[in-house]
Amino acid sequence: WNATFPAHAAQFASGMAATTIWAYWERERPTFPRLAAPVVGVAALAVIAIVFKLHNRGWLTDADQGSLVAAPFAFLLLLVVLSPGGGRVHRTLGARAFVLMGLASYSIFLVHDPIIRALRVRYLAEATPLGLFTMLALVAAATALAAAVSYRVLEKPLLALQQRLTAAAPSPAAQPGAPPPAE
């Protein structure tokens, strides 16, 4: 049940709401008050922190946590999409570190969860705020190292191979018996 769509419908709905707002913004190009982005950003981060705290205390299930965190993350994503092209958000996300994280995002996705699980089993830090930041630093460092190796050794060469194979493949229209392209 936990892996089915109904269990994750609220997360899907948050993404759809964000997409609807983005589509409206693309069509209407409304102007937002100057402080709208910082207020939305701080409010989203506050909601995320509260939800994690409630989950940590056992008041929310994993499914509740995922659903309640989806909406603030959707609004944080909207801040990126709706911010001006030359603004601070775009300059920050254009920094080399963020671009590299974007390139290796699939590798990060693959290694992140096993690293968290391995470090969680070993209880390397106390259950205090300092312990949390220690674990975050350990997870970030281990994830960065593992993702860099995975990207360099696996993902980058395989993406290059995919491009070579795709470029060498004949187009469907050039194959005998293929229907002529529509005009």
Side-chain angles (χ1 to χ4, degrees):
W1 173 253
N2 286 335
T4 64
F5 176 76
H8 299 281
Q11 296 166 359
F12 178 77
S14 296
M16 288 306 298
T19 302
T20 302
I21 293 169
W22 173 76
Y24 168 76
W25 184 82
E26 281 291 309
R27 192 181 75 231
E28 300 295 327
R29 295 286 178 177
T31 56
F32 296 104
R34 188 168 187 261
L35 293 177
V39 167
V40 169
V42 168
L45 293 174
V47 168
I48 291 167
I50 291 167
V51 168
F52 280 132
K53 185 71 171 175
L54 294 174
H55 178 265
N56 190 33
R57 293 221 172 147
W59 296 347
L60 295 175
T61 66
D62 290 345
D64 294 336
Q65 177 190 15
S67 297
L68 293 172
V69 167
F73 272 110
F75 281 103
L76 288 174
L77 179 61
L78 275 174
L79 287 180
V80 174
V81 172
L82 301 180
S83 66
R88 186 178 320 140
V89 171
H90 286 267
R91 284 194 311 273
T92 301
L93 293 176
R96 184 169 172 78
F98 283 105
V99 170
L100 291 174
M101 282 190 285
L103 289 172
S105 62
Y106 186 64
S107 292
I108 291 170
F109 167 74
L110 291 176
V111 303
H112 190 69
D113 187 58
I115 288 171
I116 289 173
R117 290 176 188 272
L119 291 175
R120 186 182 294 157
V121 167
R122 285 165 184 73
Y123 298 107
L124 299 176
E126 296 291 322
T128 63
L130 179 60
L132 170 67
F133 289 111
T134 302
M135 286 301 287
L136 287 174
L138 286 170
V139 168
T143 298
L145 179 63
V149 170
S150 173
Y151 178 75
R152 185 77 173 141
V153 173
L154 296 171
E155 189 175 353
K156 191 174 181 182
L158 290 173
L159 288 172
L161 176 63
Q162 177 191 17
Q163 283 184 331
R164 285 194 306 272
L165 292 176
T166 303
S171 69
Q175 295 178 1
E183 293 184 20

